Amino acid sequence: LLPLVCGCGERQAVDASREAFDAIARDAASLYITMHPLRSSRLGLEGADSLLFTFSPGEIEGAMTEVDRLMDAIASLPADDLDQGRVDESILLSDWMKGERFVFTQSRTCLDNPLLYCWMIEEALFSLPARPWPSADGERRAWAARIGRLPLLVENASSFLEKPGIIHLEETARRLEELSGRLPGLARMAGRRYGAPVPELEAAASAIERYRNTVDGFLETGKHNRLI
């Protein structure tokens, strides 16, 4: 009887560890959507379409706190209780979160690249209304919520730029000028898709103009480096 009881106890412990890891994996997926909503929309992940990570201090602090919590939770699980698939997933999640922590707390080099924010602006504006399938319920509201956060993204992006590479600045200036010229067409596209104007688009256009001025200021004053 004793071996049977012990075996049941071990089985329960293993099941508990696996359930705990599955909960961690779900929380990690939610964190990924929060930090990378634009890519998440491309992947079709539910709940991402209305989100935009703006690199505000509060967002970064919250994300790093969650990274630490999840990494500690993974480290606390007995590896022997996990099957090989979960072990592989735990390594993947840990490596991803270590990379996020390195970018935001140690390197920060990529945050000084204006092209990063230029891509985010363009993706936020065009990815939903340019979808090749009919608009889903709530898509217009989600898109309005996302582009409504673009002014905050631009404000935070400008604060991160210290001495970006001239190649990045020149390409960003070119793409922002091109993007500004595409905005009237975007408004028409959105009108056809959603059947109504989206007022947030006007504020987004103003934010793009402010970002152009910021980038042009770096080029005019020579406040940049010669490296890529």
Side-chain angles (χ1 to χ4, degrees), residues 107-117 157-165 168-169 172 211 218 223-225 228:
S107 173
R108 301 176 76 92
T109 302
C110 71
L111 302 181
D112 194 32
N113 184 348
L115 274 174
L116 166 66
Y117 311 106
S158 299
S159 70
F160 273 120
L161 299 181
E162 296 179 355
K163 201 171 183 182
H168 291 158
L169 286 167
T172 298
Y211 194 44
F218 276 96
K223 191 180 177 182
H224 52 71
N225 64 50
I228 296 177

Side-chain angles (χ1 to χ4, degrees), residues 50-221:
S50 65
L51 304 180
L52 184 68
F53 194 80
T54 67
F55 296 88
S56 70
E59 284 177 316
I60 294 173
E61 181 181 358
M64 293 302 99
T65 297
E66 184 67 354
V67 162
D68 289 342
R69 183 186 74 83
L70 293 174
M71 290 183 66
D72 288 344
I74 290 175
S76 70
L77 293 177
D80 291 342
D81 287 353
L82 304 181
D83 57 85
Q84 189 59 49
R86 287 181 174 86
V87 169
D88 292 342
E89 289 179 21
S90 70
I91 294 172
L92 180 64
L93 290 177
S94 295
D95 287 347
W96 165 62
M97 289 187 286
K98 287 176 184 176
E100 297 287 4
R101 171 153 285 288
F102 178 77
V103 166
F104 283 104
T105 65
Q106 298 182 48
S107 173
R108 301 176 76 92
T109 302
C110 71
L111 302 181
D112 194 32
N113 184 348
L115 274 174
L116 166 66
Y117 311 106
C118 183
W119 171 83
M120 292 182 68
I121 293 168
E122 184 174 6
E123 183 73 6
L125 287 170
F126 285 90
S127 60
L128 268 63
R131 282 173 170 170
W133 56 80
S135 173
D137 290 341
E139 182 184 294
R140 179 184 175 278
R141 290 192 302 274
W143 186 57
R146 171 173 280 175
I147 65 174
R149 292 176 60 78
L150 281 175
L152 183 56
L153 171 65
V154 166
E155 179 183 343
N156 293 325
S158 299
S159 70
F160 273 120
L161 299 181
E162 296 179 355
K163 201 171 183 182
I166 187 171
I167 293 178
H168 291 158
L169 286 167
E170 290 173 342
E171 178 62 14
T172 298
R174 184 191 69 78
R175 291 179 63 171
L176 288 173
E177 182 178 4
E178 179 184 277
L179 182 58
S180 294
R182 296 168 60 195
L183 291 180
L186 173 63
R188 292 191 295 270
M189 180 196 306
R192 290 192 300 269
R193 184 172 180 84
Y194 302 126
V198 178
E200 289 82 359
L201 192 56
E202 184 175 347
S206 297
I208 292 171
E209 187 62 28
R210 290 196 299 275
Y211 194 44
R212 286 181 64 185
N213 292 337
T214 297
V215 171
D216 289 343
F218 276 96
L219 289 170
E220 291 168 3
T221 60

